[in-house]
Amino acid sequence: MRPAQATIDLKALCLNYQLASSLSGSKAIAVIKADAYGHGAVECARALEKETKVFAVAFLEEALELREAGILNPILLLEGFFEECELAQIDQYNLWPVIHSHWQISAIEKAKLLKPLTIFLKMDSGMHRVGFFPEDIPVAYYQLLATKKIANTTLMTHFARADELEIDYTKKQYSAFQEVANKLNLETCVCNSPALLAWPEIRSHWVRPGIMLYGASPFEHPQHSTNQLQPVMTLQSKIISVRTLPQGESIGYGGLYTTNKPSRIGVVAIGYADGYPRHAPNDTPVMVAGEKTRLIGRVSMDMLTVDLTDLPQAGLGSDVELWGKNILASEVALLAQTIPYQLFCNIKRVPRRFTS
Ligand SMILES: *Cc1c(COP(=O)(O)O)cnc(C)c1O
């Protein structure tokens, strides 16, 4: 069997959830959209169902997968619904839609529901993707109330730049939001992971941590507040071939690396078809047999190559960690010019193994 796999540490997931919850001092909704950022939504939901009151996913089909697996917690649909006909299942399965557009309010007006809905009303405070502008929120809210089909409304917004600590865009978004929230006297739901970790002055009745549950930092550079996060995913494989090359030999597609001295090269059974980023450059850290070494040469579809010259104890069959508790996914992401969110979401083809 090919040795590549992703190990998911469900205990670390629970500890990260508890950290988010304690930082927030309020109700933390566990965001498990996109198959729990590549970690396995059903398994993560089972691990967290006693910890959290509510889960969040992006859309209806993601929520139905959890219902089919027997998850009973309310589920927030972050993108709301796309078609009127989804309201029947939202009603039936106790899903909480985000309402971000006028047509959705009209759809609720027309719908025949078994029971009143719990909704999250979305304000556009500066992200400028979806949601009602601050000045349009009161009218939208009163229209919703007038349908008599709403049990509970929470006012929400989403930050565009909370991972950027040196600018005040987040504070501006928050004060625009808070002004309306105070007027309407509604419960609020604001904080994502970077807001929870880096903006203690920004809090809300509900929070929506995502990436921090998986133990990765949302910030480009290390922050004190992320020290307590525990990486959940370990992407690992083994050395399947070793060769010694003289100086001046190039390795792999495009000859991206040329040996500058006699070198020992290890081949690892994992590649970009598994989700390891093809754009990871020479010198990206890789852990082999418990020691840090480096990627050399271009990442291929099913394999990549590492430098074993200074690791005489490493050889055929040695364990390799691409990211996990020793090599942080955010470190690899930065070098590959992406973010840990994308690295995790891209994981495919490798079997997942769960530990608790
Ligand atoms: C994905 C998402 C989150 C979680 O964001 P993180 O940065 O992963 O914590 C929160 N709110 C909304 C609306 C989202 O789409």
Side-chain angles (χ1 to χ4, degrees):
M1 194 181 115
R2 186 172 184 249
Q5 62 173 29
T7 307
I8 308 298
D9 179 349
L10 295 172
K11 188 158 182 197
L13 178 75
C14 291
L15 289 173
N16 293 330
Y17 177 84
Q18 287 160 11
L19 176 67
S21 193
S22 70
L23 281 174
S24 71
S26 54
K27 296 170 276 193
I29 300 174
V31 179
I32 55 171
K33 63 187 172 183
D35 202 19
Y37 294 43
H39 291 65
V42 167
E43 290 84 354
C44 290
R46 285 192 183 127
L48 289 173
E49 67 186 333
K50 298 236 155 51
E51 307 270 352
T52 190
K53 182 173 175 326
V54 183
F55 289 111
V57 297
F59 50 88
L60 177 68
E61 289 77 2
E62 289 188 328
L64 294 181
E65 188 194 344
L66 297 172
R67 287 287 178 262
E68 276 157 27
I71 300 296
L72 299 173
N73 312 49
I75 305 173
L76 177 64
L77 306 180
L78 293 167
E79 277 190 70
F81 54 90
F82 301 79
E83 297 181 289
E84 227 170 281
C85 62
E86 292 171 36
L87 276 170
Q89 282 169 304
I90 286 173
D91 183 23
Q92 181 185 350
Y93 290 106
N94 191 23
L95 310 179
W96 296 359
V98 167
I99 302 301
H100 57 73
S101 296
H102 287 292
W103 74 264
Q104 293 175 318
I105 299 179
S106 314
I108 292 173
E109 270 165 6
K110 278 186 259 162
K112 291 200 171 54
L113 302 173
L114 303 169
K115 54 186 183 311
L117 292 171
T118 294
I119 59 147
F120 278 45
L121 178 59
K122 186 154 189 177
M123 182 195 296
D124 177 4
S125 61
M127 175 68 107
H128 297 335
R129 299 186 307 195
V130 292
F132 298 92
F133 293 127
E135 61 273 22
D136 298 332
I137 285 281
V139 169
Y141 175 55
Y142 293 123
Q143 275 176 347
L144 281 161
L145 284 188
T147 66
K148 304 240 177 7
K149 294 172 189 170
I150 305 300
N152 194 276
T153 303
T154 299
L155 193 61
M156 74 177 284
T157 196
H158 195 40
F159 291 132
R161 308 184 65 175
D163 57 326
E164 296 173 78
L165 309 181
E166 59 293 338
I167 58 166
D168 63 2
Y169 199 80
T170 300
K171 282 191 187 160
K172 285 198 181 127
Q173 279 195 263
Y174 185 57
S175 63
F177 175 82
Q178 210 51 49
E179 202 184 309
V180 180
N182 290 342
K183 264 191 225 142
L184 296 180
N185 197 23
L186 288 172
E187 285 211 334
T188 57
C189 178
V190 174
C191 301
N192 53 2
S193 300
L196 274 175
L197 289 163
W199 299 90
E201 66 275 41
I202 295 179
R203 286 298 176 257
S204 47
H205 298 94
W206 298 85
V207 298
R208 307 185 302 272
I211 193 74
M212 70 178 291
L213 301 181
Y214 310 102
S217 167
F219 308 109
E220 188 164 313
H221 298 292
Q223 297 295 326
H224 178 71
S225 62
T226 59
N227 288 346
Q228 290 184 68
L229 296 177
Q230 311 235 8
V232 173
M233 181 191 292
T234 302
L235 182 65
Q236 61 202 84
S237 189
K238 285 185 191 292
I239 302 281
I240 57 160
S241 172
V242 180
R243 66 199 56 231
T244 304
L245 295 174
Q247 181 186 345
E249 293 294 319
S250 65
I251 296 162
Y253 289 117
L256 219 64
Y257 180 84
T258 303
T259 54
N260 57 4
K261 59 178 182 199
S263 300
R264 230 174 127 242
I265 309 300
V267 178
V268 184
I270 201 152
Y272 64 77
D274 304 296
Y276 191 86
R278 181 172 175 275
H279 289 104
N282 283 325
D283 296 335
T284 301
V286 179
M287 191 93 165
V288 181
E291 301 257 13
K292 249 189 204 184
T293 180
R294 60 191 186 119
L295 178 76
I296 52 177
R298 183 168 278 163
V299 174
S300 324
M301 189 182 285
D302 316 306
M303 287 180 258
L304 54 80
T305 39
V306 294
D307 187 4
L308 300 182
T309 312
D310 297 327
L311 297 186
Q313 82 285 10
L316 208 59
S318 289
D319 288 324
V320 177
E321 175 187 312
L322 288 313
W323 61 69
K325 312 226 187 253
N326 302 291
I327 311 271
L328 297 183
S330 43
E331 209 180 333
V332 177
L334 185 62
L335 290 165
Q337 297 182 38
T338 181
I339 51 176
Y341 299 75
Q342 194 189 23
L343 293 187
F344 295 152
C345 291
N346 278 351
I347 284 299
K348 51 188 174 290
R349 197 169 76 168
V350 296
R352 272 190 299 237
R353 199 170 58 86
F354 295 89
T355 65
S356 49

